[in-house]
Amino acid sequence: MFEPILLKNVDVPGGHLLSTYEAGGGYQALVKVLREYTPDEVVELVKRSNLRGRGGAGFLTGMKWSFVPKQSSKPKYLCCNADEGEPGTFKDRILMERDPHQLIEGLAVSAYAIGAKTAYVYIRGEYVTAIRRLEQAIAEAHAKGYLGSRILGSDFNFTVHIHCGAGAYICGEETAMLESLEGRRAQPRLKPPFPAVAGLYASPTVINNVETLACVPHIVVRGSDWFRDIGPEKSPGPKLYCVSGQVRKPGLYELPMGIPLRELVDHAGGPPPGRRIKAVIPGGVSAPVIPEHGLDVGMDFDSLAAAGSMLGSAGVIVIDNSTCMVKVATRIIEFFHHESCGKCTPCREGLNWVVKILRRIEAGDGAPGDLEQLDMLCKGIFGNTFCALGDGAAMGLRAALKHFREEFVAHIEERRCPLH
Amino acid sequence: MREKIEEAAARYPDQRSAIMPALRIAQTEHGHLPGPVLEEVANILGVERIWVYELATFYTLFHTEPVGMFHLQLCDNVSCMLCRSEDLLRHLEEVLGIKKGETTPDRLFTLSTVECLGACEMAPVMQVGDDYHGDLDIARIDALLDRLR
Ligand SMILES: NC(=O)C1=CN([C@@H]2O[C@H](COP(=O)(O)OP(=O)(O)OC[C@H]3O[C@@H](n4cnc5c(N)ncnc54)[C@H](O)[C@@H]3O)[C@@H](O)[C@H]2O)C=CC1
Ligand SMILES: Cc1cc2nc3c(=O)[nH]c(=O)nc-3n(C[C@H](O)[C@H](O)[C@H](O)COP(=O)(O)O)c2cc1C
Ligand code: SF4
Ligand code: FES
């Protein structure tokens, strides 16, 4: 049994209260860094841990922090990405609802490291319970002197504000989030400059995912070697996997990075009685689907990339043999089409065409040449869009067309879905 | 409303950032966001009216048109679809006598489908007001509607 780290308090009654968090050793990381570490030493510690961003791209967290200019006339900001819109993903919601102080401590330690006095937590507006819990926890932490001015007698001042999203997937893209925070429509900005150099109000800004920040206090308390020794050295740590779909025990599982996907699906009870697994999407719908024979891949950034997919948000969606892959692919592209912000043509127009063709094929109205047309459209979208939304859509469809081409062909030839 | 909006605005160095929180506050107070409310928000914050309109129409959680007393938001993204959310939609349309996107004539229920609610472990899921209802089936939907009525 893997000892839960991030989920330690999640099933404890009252796990969201400060008293519970403190009883389990909470806020000791903050005490420790304020007493014993300079900000640079915290950055070094996180660098040595090889912690990589849990928001999906897997960028080295310590490295990102070190890009924040030391001398800056502007204030520095920390933003927590709690927009969690990737279909199949629910880990950040559970972390915020059940153990908000873990996130607050992570924010405080990270802000100390990068020299920020203010943090904004951008939470998707639907997460009402998480918003309330986090608000309560911030108030509790203020009252106890873990937030505010001269924290724990040091000269570190730090405040956390919540900013509620209002239902747009694109706000999870970090530069779109910054636009949204500045009070504009959420459309991505060109990178570089990266936010670490010029982000919120053109000031140096670090943006990290909820789970990334939640790892930080544990690295401080247990050390960077401890963290690096869990799972693959280049992609280490405890990891939250969101398992959903056609599986007996859907839920949030904390296991080491790199665990084989097959083992993870077994942890979740395998497929429903009488069914077989057909495919698994390993990292939210932006991640290319993996057919059953590929399930021995390790669930970490590098292994999944080598296998032609990605860890992404670790939203693991299990699909069994009763399900039509054309239908799944269509639904996924409908999602991206709906959420496209409309800023660039390949994504806005390309996905519009793709949706039309897929819907036609699914309805039994496909024509010869449709699949070649889809291949062409994917090629036109991939690599030609402003942000990674378009890429994610194209990569996912390509994988479905590659691994399950015979299902698409059958729809076109038989003029109906062979499964329905 | 003014007081709450001013309190929210104090969290940002720029008033424009406070438009989203202000709209959230205004919508809680008024149920939806008609033109005069948007103008009031712009006045309280002292920002351009067009900036406020822009956000009220870009983000799907803001409603410029009224919605029913209970907004039934059924997730039909992949994980919920794999757990048969379509059957639930068909059932809801039948018992409410409306199509998705519509409101019942008594203005009690508005029915919508939404993208992933971030609660796929309890698929199929529906949000009603602030609350999530998970592991739904037809019997649970009926019980829920009875309670709301
Ligand atoms: N969690 C979720 O709900 C979702 C996650 N995603 C994930 O998002 C990923 C794409 O995210 P992006 O932010 O576009 O990836 P990215 O690779 O552009 O950036 C990743 C992070 O590293 C930073 N970074 C990269 N190079 C840098 C440099 N040279 N200097 C300073 N900072 C640098 C970026 O600012 C960012 O914070 C996808 O892989 C996908 O898995 C996508 C949709 C939803
Ligand atoms: C379309 C799109 C949506 C995204 N949504 C999220 C999200 O909901 N949550 C998140 O943490 N990162 C999301 N990301 C990734 C962020 O842009 C960014 O890489 C991440 O927040 C950085 O934090 P990390 O380094 O801790 O992972 C998204 C990226 C794209 C392209
Ligand atoms: S790829 Fe899509 S979501 Fe991203 S900027 Fe272009 S239109 Fe907007
Ligand atoms: S797909 Fe329905 S809650 Fe995620």
Side-chain angles (χ1 to χ4, degrees), chain A residues 87 89-90 93 120 124-127 132 161 163 166-167 180-181 183-184 201 244 246 327 331 335 338, chain B residues 11-13 16-17 20 24 55 58-61 76-77 79 82 86 115-119 121 127 130 132:
Chain A
T89 316
F90 45 86
R93 188 194 95 242
Y120 293 99
R124 61 179 295 185
E126 293 90 340
Y127 281 1
R132 286 199 196 121
H161 300 300
H163 188 98
S180 182
L181 267 167
R184 281 189 281 269
Y201 310 118
S244 70
Q246 289 161 324
K327 185 172 177 180
R331 186 64 196 86
F335 165 74
H338 179 246
Chain B
R11 296 183 213 134
Y12 306 91
R16 189 166 181 173
S17 290
M20 263 175 100
R24 195 174 168 97
L55 298 202
F58 182 82
Y59 294 99
T60 54
L61 294 191
D76 68 349
N77 212 298
S79 301
L82 294 172
E86 278 164 316
E115 301 296 2
C116 178
L117 287 165
E121 83 279 20
Q127 183 171 21
D130 288 352
Y132 278 25

Side-chain angles (χ1 to χ4, degrees), chain A residues 14-327:
Chain A
H16 60 287
L17 301 173
L18 179 58
S19 51
T20 317
Y21 189 63
E22 283 179 319
Y27 287 107
Q28 287 312 306
L30 183 60
V31 170
K32 189 167 172 181
V33 297
L34 293 181
R35 289 212 186 120
E36 298 170 25
Y37 290 70
T38 64
D40 282 352
E41 284 167 350
V42 182
V43 175
E44 271 312 304
L45 181 77
V46 172
K47 260 192 186 168
R48 279 200 309 274
S49 75
N50 284 354
L51 169 63
R52 292 171 68 171
R54 273 33 175 170
F59 197 80
L60 284 159
T61 304
M63 171 112 81
K64 179 156 47 179
W65 292 3
S66 70
F67 291 144
V68 173
K70 294 254 165 340
Q71 308 301 332
S72 162
S73 55
K74 293 184 164 161
K76 295 164 191 162
Y77 291 105
L78 176 63
C79 290
C80 171
N81 193 340
D83 196 48
E84 190 155 72
E86 181 73 7
T89 316
F90 45 86
K91 62 193 178 69
D92 300 340
R93 188 194 95 242
I94 291 179
L95 285 177
M96 291 186 288
E97 285 181 357
R98 313 268 186 88
D99 196 1
H101 284 285
Q102 177 174 242
L103 173 60
I104 295 173
E105 186 174 20
L107 283 162
V109 172
S110 308
Y112 175 75
I114 63 163
K117 289 193 180 62
T118 310
Y120 293 99
V121 181
Y122 193 107
I123 310 188
R124 61 179 295 185
E126 293 90 340
Y127 281 1
V128 178
T129 306
I131 293 165
R132 286 199 196 121
R133 289 267 164 92
L134 202 61
E135 275 170 353
Q136 276 169 11
I138 290 170
E140 275 187 308
H142 257 284
K144 262 294 187 87
Y146 295 125
L147 292 175
S149 45
R150 304 197 54 83
I151 294 172
L152 301 171
S154 70
D155 50 18
F156 174 52
N157 308 325
F158 177 57
T159 323
V160 179
H161 300 300
I162 293 175
H163 188 98
C164 298
Y169 169 71
I170 194 61
C171 290
E173 197 282 336
E174 55 177 12
T175 60
M177 169 172 299
L178 296 175
E179 287 290 299
S180 182
L181 267 167
E182 292 182 11
R184 281 189 281 269
R185 286 184 300 169
Q187 291 191 315
R189 298 176 182 171
L190 207 55
K191 299 195 275 194
F194 283 93
V197 179
L200 188 61
Y201 310 118
S203 292
T205 304
V206 164
I207 299 153
N208 275 128
N209 173 258
V210 173
E211 185 188 350
T212 312
L213 293 166
C215 289
V216 170
H218 302 286
I219 294 171
V220 170
V221 170
R222 298 178 188 230
S224 50
D225 290 349
W226 161 81
F227 192 87
R228 217 180 39 230
D229 287 346
I230 299 172
E233 190 183 351
K234 293 228 160 69
S235 184
K239 180 74 190 95
L240 300 182
Y241 301 101
C242 320
V243 186
S244 70
Q246 289 161 324
V247 62
R248 282 190 223 203
K249 293 189 290 173
L252 186 58
Y253 292 85
E254 181 173 16
L255 289 160
M257 271 280 196
I259 179 179
L261 179 50
R262 196 178 293 284
E263 212 179 305
L264 177 61
V265 174
D266 287 345
H267 270 280
R275 308 261 187 85
R276 278 175 294 108
I277 291 179
K278 182 184 213 168
V280 179
I281 297 172
V285 299
S286 302
V289 62
I290 298 177
E292 199 279 338
H293 62 78
L295 295 193
D296 295 305
V297 63
M299 288 293 286
D300 62 84
F301 291 109
D302 302 325
S303 306
L304 279 161
S309 187
M310 68 178 187
L311 180 59
S313 62
V316 178
I317 305 173
V318 182
I319 301 165
D320 75 26
N321 59 325
S322 70
T323 298
C324 164
M325 289 307 289
V326 177
K327 185 172 177 180

